[in-house]
Amino acid sequence: MSKVQMKSGMSNAKGIQNVQSQKSAASNKTGQQTDRSGKTAAVNPRKKPPGGNDPRKKKEPPELTELKIQIVNMKSQVLDLENSIRQQHDELENYKTENVDLNKQMTQFVMEKAGKSRDSVIVDLNQQVEKLQKQIECIGKEKTEIQADKELYMTTLSKYITEKTPDEMPDIPNMEENIRPTKIADMFNQVYQNVWPRAYEIANEKLNDEKLSCIYLLTIFKDSWEFCCALSRHQLHILEMTYLVPYGPNMSVEATFNIPQLSVKNLKVVKETRKHIAKQTIGNLYGLFMSPESGTGTKDIPSELEPYVRSCLEVCWYSAIQDPPLGFVFDTGVSWELDTNYFEMFTKTGIYVDFIVWPAMLLHNHGVVLQKGVVQALDEKSHRPQQ
């Protein structure tokens, strides 16, 4: 390159710098204005001239504007939902805390009231149930006794109104002589409580087996009952024939034909008369029962058991001459399931019956229970006895 060209380039560069300096000074002068007070104020060179449009700014489409509005609304809804969820979560935590407190209070209340463990509470409830059952039994006995008294007074009143014969029975009979079913039930219970234990000791000394000893004593009572029932029916038949058909010393009732029957009213008088002399009759029952002609299967009874046998005969005779006769339950049916309505447990607990120790007494056959019996219980049915 020649020196002339280098000088020409340098002069051009200086000229360009001078032009740029003049433009910068001009822009600084135009960027300031003088207000009325003489002060200069900055003027925004990008400010649109009045009434003019900014060519760099484009107009937004209406769809975009609508979407922006929707986005803003949705953000607001999301905030509202978050606030609601936060509030519900706080309420749920409060409910949980309150529930825990209530459970603690309830547990404390129950423990304070009960003051005992669950098993102890169950035992107490069972004892209360047993107590109520005994009260129900006592009420039932009282009801039966009142019913018996009512029937007796009604019978007495009927006799007083219809008969009025001085040679007949007294208008008001002695209540102690005319033994009632409830009193017989008390006698029956006294035999088991007071006489049976000694009889069991005597029987067990010979048999040396609890089950055999209990069954042996039960057999004596059952034979006594069957003996008294048969004797009661025979005696009533003889009394009826004696009243209706007089016969001589060489005659028998069986030889008489066309024997009539007493009326229900007169037969009741005979039955009542027999009740009044029952105490004298009982004194002769032991000898008849032990005689070979009685037909009972307990002739090998040792003499040590005589008090027990006499007590059984007394209860059975009073029971047999009632109208209708009382009833006894000597078995538990085919299933051998323990029925607590009729029996109590002896020395073991369970739901099945091993053997019967003492029978249950009923007001009559299939009637209400006057006195529960006693059985030896079993847990498993497979051990059902062969009695």
Side-chain angles (χ1 to χ4, degrees):
M1 183 181 291
S2 63
K3 295 182 180 180
V4 177
Q5 289 176 344
M6 291 176 63
K7 289 180 180 180
S8 175
M10 292 176 61
S11 60
N12 289 334
K14 290 181 180 179
I16 292 171
Q17 290 178 355
N18 293 328
V19 172
Q20 289 177 350
S21 298
Q22 293 175 0
K23 287 182 179 180
S24 176
S27 63
N28 290 332
K29 291 180 180 180
T30 58
Q32 294 180 351
Q33 292 181 355
T34 303
D35 55 11
R36 293 180 181 179
S37 61
K39 294 181 179 181
T40 59
V43 178
N44 188 2
R46 295 184 181 181
K47 186 176 180 181
K48 296 187 295 183
N53 293 325
D54 188 357
R56 294 174 297 176
K57 186 174 182 181
K58 296 181 181 179
K59 185 177 182 181
E60 291 181 353
E63 293 82 359
L64 181 59
T65 304
E66 185 176 356
L67 287 175
K68 288 183 177 180
I69 295 173
Q70 290 180 2
I71 291 172
V72 173
N73 292 334
M74 291 178 68
K75 287 183 178 180
S76 177
Q77 292 178 3
V78 169
L79 291 175
D80 293 339
L81 289 174
E82 289 178 350
N83 293 331
S84 178
I85 291 172
R86 192 179 298 107
Q87 183 178 1
Q88 292 179 1
H89 181 268
D90 294 340
E91 292 179 355
L92 180 60
E93 292 297 327
N94 292 334
Y95 286 142
K96 288 181 179 180
T97 304
E98 292 177 359
N99 188 30
V100 171
D101 294 339
L102 288 175
N103 286 334
K104 290 181 180 179
Q105 293 177 5
M106 180 62 70
T107 303
Q108 185 178 1
F109 176 78
V110 171
M111 294 303 295
E112 289 177 355
K113 285 293 182 182
K116 299 177 181 178
S117 65
R118 179 176 176 272
D119 295 337
S120 300
V121 173
I122 292 175
V123 171
D124 291 341
L125 291 176
N126 289 334
Q127 291 177 352
Q128 293 179 10
V129 170
E130 292 178 0
K131 184 178 179 180
L132 292 174
Q133 287 178 346
K134 289 181 180 180
Q135 291 178 356
I136 292 173
E137 291 177 2
C138 293
I139 293 173
K141 289 181 180 180
E142 292 177 358
K143 180 181 177 181
T144 304
E145 184 175 347
I146 292 172
Q147 184 67 25
D149 291 343
K150 178 182 176 182
E151 292 177 358
L152 181 60
Y153 283 123
M154 292 299 292
T155 302
T156 304
L157 181 62
S158 177
K159 291 177 183 178
Y160 180 79
I161 295 174
T162 57
E163 297 179 0
K164 294 185 181 180
T165 304
D167 295 333
E168 295 287 342
M169 296 173 62
D171 294 336
I172 304 178
N174 190 342
M175 295 291 289
E176 294 298 327
E177 294 179 2
N178 194 6
I179 302 297
R180 297 163 290 174
T182 51
K183 185 166 184 176
I184 300 173
D186 290 337
M187 295 170 56
F188 176 68
N189 185 51
Q190 291 300 318
V191 173
Y192 177 70
Q193 296 292 338
N194 301 327
V195 184
W196 186 89
R198 176 55 185 160
Y200 172 78
E201 292 178 358
I202 296 172
N204 199 39
E205 287 177 0
K206 298 180 178 297
L207 300 175
N208 196 25
D209 186 271
E210 178 189 69
K211 182 175 180 178
L212 293 178
S213 300
C214 292
I215 294 175
Y216 177 66
L217 296 179
L218 179 68
T219 303
I220 293 177
F221 186 91
K222 186 175 181 180
D223 289 346
S224 301
W225 171 240
E226 293 175 351
F227 169 77
C228 289
C229 287
L231 188 62
S232 172
R233 290 191 297 268
H234 181 70
Q235 184 192 53
L236 188 62
H237 175 71
I238 295 298
L239 288 174
E240 187 176 9
M241 296 303 99
T242 303
Y243 278 114
L244 290 174
V245 184
Y247 58 93
N250 297 325
M251 299 175 60
S252 63
V253 177
E254 289 75 8
T256 307
F257 299 94
N258 298 324
I259 300 175
Q261 292 183 346
L262 287 173
S263 64
V264 176
K265 176 182 175 181
N266 291 330
L267 186 61
K268 189 173 183 64
V269 173
V270 175
K271 291 178 180 180
E272 291 295 328
T273 304
R274 187 170 61 165
K275 290 180 182 179
H276 282 278
I277 61 173
K279 184 177 290 188
Q280 289 80 7
T281 305
I282 289 172
N284 301 317
L285 291 180
Y286 181 77
L288 294 173
F289 179 74
M290 298 298 293
S291 66
E293 293 80 11
S294 66
T296 57
T298 51
K299 300 304 177 295
D300 57 343
I301 299 176
S303 58
E304 295 89 345
L305 290 178
E306 180 177 345
Y308 174 73
V309 176
R310 287 185 177 275
S311 298
C312 293
L313 289 170
E314 181 181 12
V315 171
C316 291
W317 182 253
Y318 279 126
S319 301
I321 64 176
Q322 295 300 306
D323 189 21
L326 304 186
F328 292 93
V329 181
F330 291 97
D331 59 72
T332 58
V334 179
S335 65
W336 287 93
E337 292 182 356
L338 175 58
D339 189 345
T340 55
N341 294 320
Y342 290 89
F343 293 99
E344 297 176 349
M345 287 174 277
F346 186 41
T347 59
K348 298 179 181 179
T349 59
I351 59 176
Y352 297 103
V353 175
D354 186 5
F355 58 88
I356 296 178
V357 178
W358 193 244
M361 174 184 277
L362 309 180
L363 183 60
H364 52 78
N365 284 336
H366 309 293
V368 298
V369 178
L370 290 176
Q371 192 69 41
K372 287 186 178 182
V374 181
V375 298
Q376 186 69 290
L378 280 177
D379 289 333
E380 297 182 3
K381 189 176 181 181
S382 58
H383 295 157
R384 186 178 64 185
Q386 299 295 329
Q387 188 169 349

